[in-house]
Amino acid sequence: MQKILVLGAGRSATSLIAYLHQNAAADNWQITIAEKDIELAREKTSRFEEARLISFDIENEDQVHQEISEADLVVSMLPARFHIVPARKCAELGKNMVTASYLTNDIKELSSEFEAKGAQCIMELGLDPGIDHMSAMKVLDRLRKEGNELTAFETFTGGLLREDKENDNPWKYKFTWNPRNVVLAGQGYVKFIQEGRYKYIPYNRLFQRTEVIHIPGHGYFEGYANRDSLNYLDLYNLRGINTLYRGTLRRPGYCKAWDVFIQLGATEDTYELENVNEMTHRQFINSFLQYNPGDSVELKLAHYLNIGMESAEMYKLKWLDLFSDELIGLEKGTPAQILEHILKKKWTLNEEDRDLIVMWHKFDYIEKGQPKQIQSSMVVEGEDQTNTAMSKTVGLPLAMAAKHVLSGRINKPGVHIPTHKEIYEPILEELNEIGFEFREIEVDLDDQSIKA
Amino acid sequence: MQKILVLGAGRSATSLIAYLHQNAAADNWQITIAEKDIELAREKTSRFEEARLISFDIENEDQVHQEISEADLVVSMLPARFHIVPARKCAELGKNMVTASYLTNDIKELSSEFEAKGAQCIMELGLDPGIDHMSAMKVLDRLRKEGNELTAFETFTGGLLREDKENDNPWKYKFTWNPRNVVLAGQGYVKFIQEGRYKYIPYNRLFQRTEVIHIPGHGYFEGYANRDSLNYLDLYNLRGINTLYRGTLRRPGYCKAWDVFIQLGATEDTYELENVNEMTHRQFINSFLQYNPGDSVELKLAHYLNIGMESAEMYKLKWLDLFSDELIGLEKGTPAQILEHILKKKWTLNEEDRDLIVMWHKFDYIEKGQPKQIQSSMVVEGEDQTNTAMSKTVGLPLAMAAKHVLSGRINKPGVHIPTHKEIYEPILEELNEIGFEFREIEVDLDDQSIKA
């Protein structure tokens, strides 16, 4: 019997825990769910009586040592800043560990210790980062093996809503993952490479510089650049490539309307507003506009941002009740915290809603002197408001990695992300079996038609 | 004989050191200039043979103790982050200290220790902060003493160029103080109060939301909001005031052109650009624009920011040689560092240049039921590129404070800023004697004419 220790049973753990339990009997696993909030853990495992639930405190060193020493593999679903604690303990005790979070330098430094113990620590095993690495590297490895020269790589992912369930929501968007990250998206800097030139976009222009992406059978999307694409030069071994761009997908029209919040300053998170406890939605918006009591908040905003009073952007703002006299309902908060709170009133999944994950890669390459292009995309629909496409695409590759590490099919001691064939191949195979498949098309660069 | 210890002899110390030496004999002072760079100190004191020069290291605890224990008063001209070191030692030894920097919490906490020792630590004794506090509080104290109710207070300061020396410079601006602070100005958040409403401006809109200020005899200026005006509610005892706005003055047209840099992202300081060592001015600007090799950088910029090709903003950019193929001349750098480096090529004072300090306050109040307005302004011209108005307005109030602390005329033990009459009165008197005077006018609110 092999023992799996799951640290944390928050929202993101639903699909992961379900998978582990479904496979527990056949694979002879004993599963422990370790969670600070024991009630939350009980709820998550109510259908799985064989699971062991424990009340767990990551700051209790004795408990961390005790539980990890008894486990064969640790799945850390803790907030990202805590991963270093089980990682150090796993390295020390020679235990395996998997997470869906970004690999950090302090964990990378443990690689030789993991390797010396013959243990594996694999990070970035979710959707993005996760499936993006696996699916991109699969094509990149193949194209390179065939002797082609890569000239451009673009990759976009979006957590969206299914078209047919969006009803009247003009944003065609609701929160399906951490709302705070959605509100703060794009803060910091953006770097990418276009035709051999390094390009930089500041936050105040990011949502104005979108790209249009078409996915056959699923329509048009718009994408904005995501952080530092240059990181992928080394991660994917792409030094010398002409174009490298990583982005986030939204439905058309989202970005121009979201830009209103950025231009107002409503996504700032560095200071708190005054008198939030008695503030209405309308006053929140007005606090970013010029004082002019004779003019309406609507007209001041439209004029300030140079958009029409009857524009699609104004309609989106009105749909969110941003101009209403409704109280915000917070005691205090930064602009970003208040905006998140207001958005949640309309952007929370209800029983009718099904979410949608879209991932799209574009590869330009030279094959025997001829320029070629492949596009590869995956679209996953959610089942309901709990078993979302987001929860599944984040949790299942992680769970599958745990399975293949325990079975020995994935056996690459050290600290890694799933850019290696030994790691991504078994996971992509299994994802494909449950319908999370990438559709590849070859595009004719002369007339842009789809060849295959 | 009283002993003055001056820590640091950088650019900002010129006028301060000259004043101290001019007064040394009459006031029976012995002056020590303590500076890491002993050559710099020698240059600053070449005309004053009686000064004692020492090579000084703020991180040498024994030396800090030794020198401060021998002094009666310490003038700290060190970089702001180091003030806490002499402040702690002065509190411990019961010595007086003065600086031109912002009061920080860690220094504020030393107040009772200073008070117990009967010693004074006075911060914010420069221009802004410094003369702004003194001159505003003088009027505020008077208006309140006369029983009037304050309804609005606005205050603006600018370090500019004298009109007649600006020649063809369309910015009518050069660096007269720390260039880095000019490039980063406005980053962070801006808060103020207008007609009873709290207002917030994000960085990306700050230089678009300017106010026009007219100073009789000196013409028009434009002002943009400066950081958190709400701090002045308590500093100046203004709780309940309807309008409170603190800003920075520039010549008309500056802000709209500066906004180009903000919109491009050229003032960002959080990441470094790639390949800076071989980058030209033109490539620097192009790195923030869309890839489109068939179009000129000029047209791409004008279209991106919606300004005319022959606009005043484009002319200002061209005057800076921003579109030229000149190498930047740095090995590496953030956008802000690169922009600062390029600007210094044109914005450095030459022999012809004289700088100009402008400070302007507006007070609205109710006198016996009648709304009234006073405007108070000071304009100071520089002598040459060394004895600048900036150097004098920053250094002289600090030197005068040192004098009056030593003479006992300023005697307010504890940590303070010059918002107290005991502190500001003798300094303003002496500033007035050397011609740094505030001109007060009363404005008729019915027809905006000047009454007095």
Side-chain angles (χ1 to χ4, degrees):
Chain A
M1 174 162 291
Q2 289 179 306
K3 292 181 180 172
I4 299 176
L5 173 65
V6 179
L7 303 178
R11 175 162 60 162
S12 49
T14 307
S15 299
L16 169 98
I17 292 174
Y19 177 96
L20 293 179
H21 280 98
Q22 278 155 21
N23 287 265
D27 287 313
N28 199 20
W29 294 334
Q30 192 208 312
I31 295 160
T32 299
I33 312 288
E35 166 64 47
K36 205 164 193 169
D37 178 354
I38 191 81
E39 285 309 312
L40 178 67
R42 194 160 284 139
E43 186 186 308
K44 280 273 156 63
T45 54
S46 58
R47 289 178 292 158
F48 308 105
E49 288 173 6
E50 65 275 24
R52 177 178 161 250
L53 296 188
I54 59 167
S55 174
F56 181 79
D57 176 7
I58 187 67
E59 291 176 348
N60 179 337
E61 286 179 34
D62 291 340
Q63 193 186 27
V64 169
H65 181 88
Q66 181 63 28
E67 290 300 331
I68 293 182
S69 62
E70 287 176 12
D72 294 290
L73 181 141
V74 176
V75 182
S76 179
M77 304 294 285
L78 297 168
R81 67 185 183 283
F82 292 122
H83 291 322
I84 185 64
V85 178
R88 288 209 176 105
K89 186 55 72 177
C90 286
E92 178 195 329
L93 300 173
K95 305 294 186 174
N96 300 297
M97 173 167 153
V98 294
T99 83
S101 299
Y102 279 101
L103 175 57
T104 51
N105 284 330
D106 52 357
I107 293 182
K108 205 182 286 178
E109 284 169 7
L110 299 171
S111 192
S112 54
E113 195 178 349
F114 270 103
E115 213 175 335
K117 301 271 169 60
Q120 305 176 58
C121 173
I122 313 178
M123 310 282 293
E124 308 192 10
L125 282 164
L127 168 66
D128 172 16
I131 295 177
D132 57 345
H133 294 325
M134 306 182 210
S135 53
M137 285 304 293
K138 185 184 168 186
V139 177
L140 289 168
D141 280 346
R142 190 186 76 219
L143 291 174
R144 284 191 278 231
K145 197 178 168 191
E146 292 167 358
N148 305 302
E149 180 200 348
L150 263 300
T151 54
F153 172 62
E154 296 183 23
T155 175
F156 289 84
T157 303
L160 306 164
L161 285 187
R162 246 173 73 176
E163 184 78 55
D164 58 337
K165 295 291 179 185
E166 285 161 19
N167 300 320
D168 71 330
N169 177 350
W171 292 83
K172 301 188 183 301
Y173 186 80
K174 286 187 174 180
F175 292 128
T176 59
W177 202 241
N178 188 337
R180 180 168 164 82
N181 289 353
V182 174
V183 172
L184 299 181
Q187 296 192 15
Y189 54 86
V190 161
K191 295 182 175 182
F192 59 95
I193 308 177
Q194 199 167 3
E195 303 295 337
R197 316 270 175 94
Y198 292 101
K199 293 287 179 183
Y200 311 88
I201 309 179
Y203 181 53
N204 75 70
R205 289 279 161 175
L206 184 59
F207 285 79
Q208 295 169 21
R209 282 175 67 172
T210 53
E211 313 255 313
V212 177
I213 309 289
H214 179 251
I215 301 182
H218 297 277
Y220 288 90
F221 300 88
E222 63 186 21
Y224 64 89
N226 189 344
R227 308 197 208 190
D228 189 352
S229 295
L230 275 52
N231 288 334
Y232 294 79
L233 286 174
D234 290 325
L235 287 182
Y236 293 180
N237 192 21
L238 293 170
R239 289 267 161 206
I241 200 163
N242 271 338
T243 294
L244 181 57
Y245 190 102
R246 185 170 180 251
T248 298
L249 291 177
R250 292 288 181 257
R251 298 283 187 188
Y254 175 99
C255 292
K256 197 169 178 210
W258 186 262
D259 188 51
V260 168
F261 297 132
I262 296 173
Q263 298 305 320
L264 287 176
T267 62
E268 301 240 345
D269 199 42
T270 54
Y271 69 93
E272 294 197 340
L273 294 189
E274 309 292 317
N275 300 343
V276 172
N277 61 329
E278 55 193 32
M279 188 181 272
T280 65
H281 293 190
R282 189 176 184 85
Q283 288 165 343
F284 172 66
I285 296 301
N286 195 28
S287 68
F288 304 109
L289 299 171
Q290 305 249 17
Y291 176 77
N292 229 340
D295 295 323
S296 70
V297 174
E298 289 87 345
L299 184 59
K300 288 195 295 184
L301 182 141
H303 177 258
Y304 185 41
L305 302 182
N306 196 23
I307 54 178
M309 280 292 275
E310 306 300 331
S311 63
E313 293 74 43
M314 283 300 277
Y315 180 69
K316 287 188 178 70
L317 300 179
K318 285 176 192 164
W319 184 86
L320 287 169
D321 294 334
L322 276 167
F323 300 108
S324 87
D325 292 324
E326 182 179 338
L327 274 174
I328 291 166
L330 282 177
E331 284 304 306
K332 61 195 197 73
T334 65
Q337 287 166 341
I338 293 168
L339 180 61
E340 178 187 334
H341 189 81
I342 295 174
L343 292 172
K344 275 179 180 165
K345 297 178 186 182
K346 303 281 276 196
W347 278 7
T348 297
L349 292 181
N350 61 37
E351 284 191 9
E352 293 293 301
D353 294 321
R354 305 288 176 268
D355 75 326
L356 188 81
I357 295 293
V358 179
M359 186 176 283
W360 181 85
H361 308 302
K362 186 180 85 173
F363 308 86
D364 285 346
Y365 59 100
I366 310 286
E367 185 184 55
K368 294 171 191 151
Q370 291 299 313
K372 297 279 181 94
Q373 185 178 96
I374 284 176
Q375 296 177 8
S376 168
S377 60
M378 176 190 79
V379 178
V380 176
E381 297 183 358
E383 290 167 38
D384 54 47
Q385 67 195 113
T386 306
N387 296 295
T388 58
M390 184 63 92
S391 164
K392 290 195 288 184
T393 53
V394 172
L396 293 180
L398 183 59
M400 291 167 184
K403 172 174 150 178
H404 294 298
V405 165
L406 286 174
S407 76
R409 186 165 172 205
I410 295 179
N411 186 12
K412 194 171 172 62
V415 174
H416 301 287
I417 64 170
T419 48
H420 306 277
K421 193 169 185 177
E422 307 95 294
I423 300 174
Y424 70 67
E425 200 162 53
I427 300 172
L428 285 177
E429 257 176 38
E430 194 172 346
L431 286 172
N432 199 52
E433 281 165 21
I434 62 166
F436 293 11
E437 60 187 330
F438 278 81
R439 188 178 162 221
E440 243 178 62
I441 57 175
E442 199 184 327
V443 176
D444 188 313
L445 289 174
D446 292 328
D447 64 1
Q448 298 292 315
S449 68
I450 295 166
K451 284 184 180 172
Chain B
M1 174 163 290
Q2 289 178 306
K3 293 182 178 171
I4 298 176
L5 173 65
V6 179
L7 303 179
R11 174 161 61 160
S12 50
T14 307
S15 299
L16 169 96
I17 291 173
Y19 176 97
L20 293 179
H21 280 98
Q22 279 156 21
N23 288 265
D27 286 313
N28 200 21
W29 293 335
Q30 192 206 313
I31 294 160
T32 300
I33 311 287
E35 166 63 48
K36 204 164 193 170
D37 177 355
I38 191 82
E39 286 309 312
L40 177 69
R42 194 161 281 137
E43 187 187 308
K44 281 274 157 62
T45 55
S46 58
R47 290 178 291 157
F48 308 104
E49 289 174 5
E50 65 275 23
R52 176 177 163 251
L53 295 188
I54 59 167
S55 174
F56 181 79
D57 176 7
I58 187 65
E59 289 175 351
N60 179 336
E61 285 178 34
D62 291 340
Q63 192 185 27
V64 168
H65 181 89
Q66 181 62 30
E67 291 300 331
I68 293 182
S69 62
E70 286 176 14
D72 294 291
L73 181 141
V74 176
V75 183
S76 179
M77 303 294 286
L78 298 167
R81 67 185 182 282
F82 291 123
H83 291 321
I84 185 64
V85 177
R88 287 209 176 106
K89 186 54 72 178
C90 285
E92 178 195 328
L93 300 174
K95 305 293 187 175
N96 300 298
M97 172 168 156
V98 293
T99 84
S101 299
Y102 279 102
L103 175 58
T104 50
N105 283 331
D106 52 358
I107 293 181
K108 205 182 287 179
E109 283 168 8
L110 300 170
S111 192
S112 54
E113 195 177 349
F114 270 102
E115 213 176 335
K117 301 269 168 62
Q120 305 176 57
C121 174
I122 313 180
M123 309 282 293
E124 308 192 12
L125 282 165
L127 168 67
D128 172 16
I131 297 178
D132 57 345
H133 294 325
M134 306 182 210
S135 53
M137 285 303 293
K138 185 184 168 186
V139 177
L140 289 169
D141 281 346
R142 189 186 78 219
L143 291 175
R144 283 191 280 231
K145 196 178 168 191
E146 292 168 358
N148 304 303
E149 181 199 348
L150 264 300
T151 54
F153 172 62
E154 296 183 24
T155 174
F156 289 84
T157 303
L160 306 164
L161 285 187
R162 246 172 73 177
E163 185 78 58
D164 59 337
K165 294 291 180 186
E166 285 160 18
N167 300 321
D168 71 330
N169 177 349
W171 292 85
K172 303 187 182 303
Y173 185 82
K174 285 186 174 181
F175 292 127
T176 59
W177 203 240
N178 188 337
R180 181 168 163 81
N181 289 353
V182 175
V183 172
L184 300 181
Q187 296 192 15
Y189 54 86
V190 161
K191 294 183 176 183
F192 60 94
I193 309 178
Q194 199 167 2
E195 303 295 336
R197 315 269 174 96
Y198 292 102
K199 293 288 180 183
Y200 311 89
I201 308 180
Y203 181 53
N204 75 70
R205 289 279 161 175
L206 185 59
F207 284 78
Q208 296 169 21
R209 283 176 66 173
T210 53
E211 313 254 313
V212 177
I213 309 289
H214 180 251
I215 300 182
H218 296 278
Y220 288 89
F221 299 88
E222 63 186 20
Y224 63 88
N226 189 343
R227 308 197 210 188
D228 189 352
S229 295
L230 276 51
N231 288 333
Y232 294 79
L233 286 174
D234 290 326
L235 288 182
Y236 293 179
N237 191 21
L238 293 170
R239 288 270 162 204
I241 201 163
N242 271 338
T243 293
L244 180 57
Y245 190 101
R246 184 170 181 250
T248 298
L249 291 176
R250 292 288 181 258
R251 298 282 188 190
Y254 176 99
C255 292
K256 196 169 177 208
W258 186 262
D259 188 52
V260 168
F261 297 132
I262 296 173
Q263 298 305 320
L264 287 176
T267 62
E268 301 239 344
D269 198 43
T270 54
Y271 69 94
E272 295 196 338
L273 293 189
E274 309 293 317
N275 299 344
V276 172
N277 60 329
E278 54 193 32
M279 188 181 274
T280 64
H281 293 190
R282 188 177 186 83
Q283 287 165 342
F284 172 65
I285 296 300
N286 195 28
S287 69
F288 303 109
L289 298 170
Q290 304 250 17
Y291 176 78
N292 229 339
D295 296 322
S296 70
V297 174
E298 289 86 346
L299 183 58
K300 287 195 294 182
L301 182 141
H303 177 257
Y304 186 39
L305 302 182
N306 196 24
I307 54 179
M309 280 293 274
E310 306 301 331
S311 62
E313 293 74 43
M314 284 300 277
Y315 180 69
K316 288 188 177 71
L317 300 179
K318 285 175 191 163
W319 184 85
L320 286 169
D321 293 334
L322 276 167
F323 300 108
S324 89
D325 292 324
E326 182 179 339
L327 275 175
I328 291 165
L330 282 178
E331 284 304 306
K332 62 194 196 73
T334 65
Q337 288 166 342
I338 294 167
L339 180 61
E340 177 187 333
H341 189 82
I342 294 174
L343 291 173
K344 276 179 178 165
K345 298 177 185 182
K346 304 281 274 195
W347 278 6
T348 297
L349 292 181
N350 62 37
E351 284 189 10
E352 292 293 301
D353 293 321
R354 306 288 178 267
D355 74 328
L356 188 80
I357 295 292
V358 179
M359 187 176 283
W360 181 85
H361 307 300
K362 187 179 84 172
F363 308 86
D364 286 346
Y365 59 100
I366 310 285
E367 185 184 54
K368 295 172 190 147
Q370 292 298 313
K372 297 276 181 98
Q373 184 178 98
I374 285 175
Q375 295 177 10
S376 168
S377 60
M378 176 189 79
V379 178
V380 176
E381 295 182 0
E383 289 167 38
D384 53 45
Q385 67 195 112
T386 307
N387 296 296
T388 59
M390 184 62 94
S391 165
K392 291 195 287 184
T393 53
V394 173
L396 293 180
L398 184 58
M400 292 167 184
K403 172 173 150 177
H404 293 298
V405 165
L406 286 174
S407 76
R409 184 163 173 207
I410 294 179
N411 186 11
K412 194 171 173 62
V415 174
H416 301 288
I417 64 171
T419 47
H420 306 277
K421 193 170 185 177
E422 307 95 294
I423 301 174
Y424 69 67
E425 199 163 51
I427 301 172
L428 285 177
E429 257 176 37
E430 193 172 348
L431 286 171
N432 199 51
E433 281 165 20
I434 62 166
F436 293 10
E437 59 187 332
F438 277 81
R439 189 178 161 221
E440 244 179 62
I441 56 174
E442 199 185 326
V443 177
D444 188 313
L445 290 175
D446 292 328
D447 65 0
Q448 298 291 316
S449 68
I450 294 166
K451 284 185 182 170

